[in-house]
Amino acid sequence: IYQSSYRGSYPSIIRDSLRNAALGRKVLLIQFMKGGVNQGVDNPERLCGNLTWVRSSHSFDQYNSEVIANDKDLDNSLTSSHKAFKIWSKFPPLKRQSIMLKAVEIIKSRQEEIAKTLTMEMGKTLRESRQEINQVIETTIWCAEEGKRTYGRIIPSRDSQARQMVFKEPIGPVVAFVAWNFPGGNFIRKVASALAAGCTIIIKPSEETPATAVALGECFMEAGLPSGVLNARITNSKSRHLYRLS
């Protein structure tokens, strides 16, 4: 039995405990919630499952030292994002909305699976994870709806022969970085906003909690998002390079 008490960092303790459970060890979690409330997990194994990792070349993952990304991969992300922007930015708002709402339906169908993934990698209770995925769904719907309301305006002109108008247009590829504490919520606020506005996005999930972002990204791709519109790069040492690209 691996015991963990509320002496250290809450996230690190929970992640450590769940990783041990994922390795097949019996885990007893003691007083890991704020205020010292006992939250025993009767069956921690149900929170853990197999994760499929898509690996690239040359940034090492902390679990098994396998390569997952290098500078060239990030350059390729920027290139593909620029190419996809020429396509995605031309999509009518209603078409972008349609793809985003289709992604919502796929997320709903996998809600429990994604919630368990979030719990396993971050340490929230399943109830909290389910709530976060509900937030993901609601945020995506809201952004998809707002995307078709990117109204312009008419400005009174000093010249009676002239008409002044403002049009809102997608600005280009977006680079975003996501914190570990809300792997789904933080991810979707950036992704859904960019997609609804007609922008492509390169996003770096936290290297500590990347699996939820991968699961959500797959839902968008299966919904018909064109290749290159959403690039998720999982890396723990290349953020400065990605920041320079922006």
Side-chain angles (χ1 to χ4, degrees):
I1 294 178
Y2 180 86
Q3 290 191 335
S4 178
S5 62
Y6 191 68
R7 295 178 183 173
S9 164
Y10 163 70
S12 64
I13 287 174
I14 301 308
R15 284 196 298 270
D16 189 31
S17 299
L18 290 174
R19 285 170 188 160
N20 275 274
L23 292 173
R25 300 169 183 162
K26 289 284 186 179
V27 178
L28 175 63
L29 301 180
I30 303 175
Q31 292 187 332
F32 64 81
M33 298 297 288
K34 289 184 178 180
V37 179
N38 290 330
Q39 295 286 337
V41 178
D42 297 330
N43 184 17
E45 292 86 349
R46 67 189 169 87
L47 304 180
C48 305
N50 295 322
L51 286 178
T52 300
W53 292 85
V54 178
R55 297 187 173 86
S56 179
S57 52
H58 292 65
S59 171
F60 293 92
D61 132 34
Q62 60 186 325
Y63 301 109
N64 53 22
S65 298
E66 288 195 35
V67 174
I68 53 178
N70 62 17
D71 289 357
K72 185 177 180 180
D73 292 321
L74 301 181
D75 289 334
N76 290 339
S77 291
L78 185 61
T79 299
S80 68
S81 193
H82 271 294
K83 289 180 178 178
F85 175 72
K86 297 177 182 179
I87 300 172
W88 185 244
S89 62
K90 302 301 181 184
F91 275 34
L94 284 174
K95 188 172 182 180
R96 295 197 294 262
Q97 179 197 33
S98 175
I99 292 175
M100 293 177 69
L101 293 182
K102 186 174 180 181
V104 165
E105 294 306 313
I106 297 174
I107 293 171
K108 285 180 179 179
S109 70
R110 302 176 186 174
Q111 186 166 0
E112 188 68 11
E113 175 188 343
I114 298 173
K116 288 181 179 180
T117 296
L118 196 157
T119 289
M120 185 181 73
E121 68 173 355
M122 191 274 167
K124 293 183 180 182
T125 63
L126 268 174
R127 185 181 71 173
E128 291 176 311
S129 294
R130 293 182 185 116
Q131 290 172 345
E132 184 167 340
I133 302 306
N134 279 332
Q135 178 193 9
V136 166
I137 291 169
E138 292 171 1
T139 300
T140 305
I141 294 173
W142 190 88
C143 289
E145 289 290 338
E146 287 300 301
K148 64 183 182 184
R149 286 189 277 271
T150 50
Y151 304 132
R153 57 177 177 158
I154 297 177
I155 303 172
S157 174
R158 296 179 180 180
D159 185 349
S160 61
Q161 302 301 313
R163 177 178 294 176
Q164 296 178 338
M165 295 178 288
V166 175
F167 295 93
K168 295 181 180 179
E169 298 179 344
I171 195 170
V174 174
V175 174
F177 302 85
V178 176
W180 60 267
N181 56 341
F182 288 91
N186 290 337
F187 173 86
I188 205 63
R189 283 191 183 97
K190 299 176 187 296
V191 169
S193 299
L195 296 182
C199 296
T200 54
I201 181 169
I202 304 170
I203 191 163
K204 177 198 170 296
S206 168
E207 63 272 15
E208 295 179 310
T209 56
T212 302
V214 171
L216 293 173
E218 288 175 347
C219 294
F220 278 92
M221 298 307 295
E222 291 180 26
L225 201 66
S227 177
V229 173
L230 171 59
N231 281 274
R233 285 300 179 181
I234 304 167
T235 170
N236 59 7
S237 62
K238 304 295 181 180
S239 296
R240 292 181 183 177
H241 177 76
L242 192 57
Y243 180 76
R244 287 198 301 272
L245 290 179
S246 66

